[in-house]
Amino acid sequence: MKKMLKDAAILFLITLCAGLVLGFVYQITKEPIARAEEEAAKKAYGEVFASASEFQALSLPEAGQEWQDQWKEAGFEGVTIENLLAALDKDGTRLGYVLTVTSHEGYGGDITFTMGIQNEGTLNGISILAISETAGLGMKAEDVLKPQFADKNVTAFAYTKTGATSENQIDAISGATITTNAITTAVNGGLYYFQTQLGGGYETE
């Protein structure tokens, strides 16, 4: 009995010490990590909206039940709009928006990226913030998928395995259909959000 109590006390002390050390390390690294994430986000904003002089944080419009139902019916239940900013020129005129979007349907987990959309609906491009797909397959999204979304003015994209033949088609990553589908759907979710919630319009289809 005494040995059991002694062992339990030792285990408790070890657990307590480990918890204190982890807490201490977290406090030390919390601010540097937050700063690094903020800098990465700012860089991504500039990448998807290079013509903007500044970015103004906006509150996401409140999504009522009717809107949530529409969102699901449109096929975006696995997509979340995380953040919204107005892209402004040097005079404070809004050029468009930057959205931070997360797909919860990646093969290896969530995929988060920013996307810049001009007032008339042109997608400047996307910048991937977080992705953990399979090395050599889904992780090719940066090189294979990302460039294909740049400077396109379409209402939605579709991916193909036989070679893109129109503006709205995206060549899928070979062997990574899940990743391709997750990112394409999330980009479409951002475009849908822009069109239905932010008053976006399109010059061409």
Side-chain angles (χ1 to χ4, degrees), residues 42-109:
K42 287 181 179 178
K43 182 179 179 181
Y45 301 155
E47 184 178 346
V48 298
F49 227 118
S51 60
S53 296
E54 63 176 307
F55 299 95
Q56 180 184 51
L58 301 174
S59 298
L60 293 171
E62 185 175 348
Q65 187 59 51
E66 183 179 354
W67 160 249
Q68 292 180 44
D69 291 342
Q70 291 175 0
W71 184 253
K72 290 180 180 179
E73 288 173 8
F76 303 124
E77 63 271 16
V79 179
T80 303
I81 306 298
E82 307 283 356
N83 196 20
L84 173 65
L85 300 98
L88 309 176
D89 67 11
K90 58 183 178 59
D91 298 319
T93 302
R94 177 171 54 78
L95 302 174
Y97 297 95
V98 173
L99 288 76
T100 301
V101 184
T102 294
S103 168
H104 304 291
E105 298 179 339
Y107 185 81

Side-chain angles (χ1 to χ4, degrees), residues 31-193:
E31 288 189 14
I33 291 173
R35 282 197 300 270
E37 290 177 346
E38 184 178 354
E39 287 302 315
K42 287 181 179 178
K43 182 179 179 181
Y45 301 155
E47 184 178 346
V48 298
F49 227 118
S51 60
S53 296
E54 63 176 307
F55 299 95
Q56 180 184 51
L58 301 174
S59 298
L60 293 171
E62 185 175 348
Q65 187 59 51
E66 183 179 354
W67 160 249
Q68 292 180 44
D69 291 342
Q70 291 175 0
W71 184 253
K72 290 180 180 179
E73 288 173 8
F76 303 124
E77 63 271 16
V79 179
T80 303
I81 306 298
E82 307 283 356
N83 196 20
L84 173 65
L85 300 98
L88 309 176
D89 67 11
K90 58 183 178 59
D91 298 319
T93 302
R94 177 171 54 78
L95 302 174
Y97 297 95
V98 173
L99 288 76
T100 301
V101 184
T102 294
S103 168
H104 304 291
E105 298 179 339
Y107 185 81
D110 289 352
I111 302 172
T112 300
F113 58 86
T114 60
M115 54 190 292
I117 310 173
Q118 297 178 33
N119 288 330
E120 91 291 346
T122 296
L123 175 63
N124 292 332
I126 70 172
S127 180
I128 298 174
L129 292 172
I131 185 170
S132 55
E133 301 296 88
T134 305
L137 293 174
M139 289 303 285
K140 290 182 178 179
E142 184 79 26
D143 298 324
V144 178
L145 295 182
K146 178 180 169 182
Q148 298 186 68
F149 291 108
D151 302 318
K152 299 289 181 67
N153 190 297
V154 299
T155 56
F157 291 93
Y159 68 87
T160 175
K161 299 179 182 180
T162 57
T165 58
S166 61
E167 277 286 285
N168 71 327
Q169 289 188 324
I170 299 295
D171 283 323
I173 303 172
S174 179
T177 304
I178 293 176
T179 303
T180 302
N181 180 66
I183 293 179
T184 303
T185 300
V187 170
N188 287 342
L191 293 174
Y192 182 82
Y193 189 88

